[in-house]
Amino acid sequence: MKVKAGVLAAVLGLLAAAVPLLAHHSFAAEYDATKPVTVTGTVTKMEWMNPHARFYVDVKETDGKITHWNFELGAIPVLLKQGWRKDSLKAGDQVTVDGSRAKDGSTTGNARSVKLADGRRVFAGSSGGDGAPNQ
């Protein structure tokens, strides 16, 4: 009986340890590197949280319609090494984002680089692409 309880405890422990791994995804699972996207618009929100920071951009189309984009950035430690700060993007900032579009074709993307309101172009800490911003 003790052996069965020990095996059950070990199995449950392994399953519990695997749950965080399931929550994290690879770049290739969600984004398509062959579908590059460049958008220019107004930041509406910045979420500085783990496992990836996110920000939202409203883009005014030629017909006047507003398209809402959701971009994933890299992990917070990677962003900090790239010169990002929690307040690098603020609601109302005008930005240009280069990245890869979601495989499902939605207005979701993985940012590769972001041209900030002050004109600086910063690497977005993404796991996709070539790892360096376009200058």
Side-chain angles (χ1 to χ4, degrees):
M1 190 67 172
K2 284 185 180 183
V3 173
K4 286 184 182 180
V7 170
L8 180 61
V11 169
L12 291 175
L14 289 172
L15 288 174
V19 169
L21 296 175
L22 295 173
H24 194 145
H25 60 272
S26 70
F27 173 89
E30 192 168 344
Y31 304 103
D32 187 344
T34 66
K35 292 182 182 176
V37 63
T38 300
V39 301
T40 299
T42 305
V43 174
T44 59
K45 182 179 177 182
M46 174 72 179
E47 295 176 343
W48 193 260
M49 61 186 188
N50 284 317
H52 298 278
R54 298 191 89 78
F55 67 101
Y56 303 84
V57 177
D58 280 354
V59 177
K60 188 172 185 177
E61 304 295 338
T62 55
D63 63 1
K65 180 183 170 196
I66 302 294
T67 303
H68 308 286
W69 280 84
N70 169 354
F71 284 100
E72 179 178 290
L73 295 167
I76 303 297
V78 174
L79 293 174
L80 291 170
K81 288 179 184 176
Q82 295 297 325
W84 285 78
R85 297 181 318 275
K86 195 172 187 175
D87 64 348
S88 290
L89 291 178
K90 296 176 285 310
D93 285 352
Q94 292 293 307
V95 295
T96 299
V97 184
D98 292 315
S100 297
R101 194 169 196 151
K103 285 184 172 183
D104 66 7
S106 66
T107 54
T108 300
N110 184 282
R112 182 177 57 253
S113 68
V114 180
K115 185 175 180 184
L116 301 174
D118 66 6
R120 290 182 299 133
R121 185 175 293 272
V122 291
F123 173 54
S126 167
S127 58
D130 62 7
N134 296 329
Q135 296 296 327

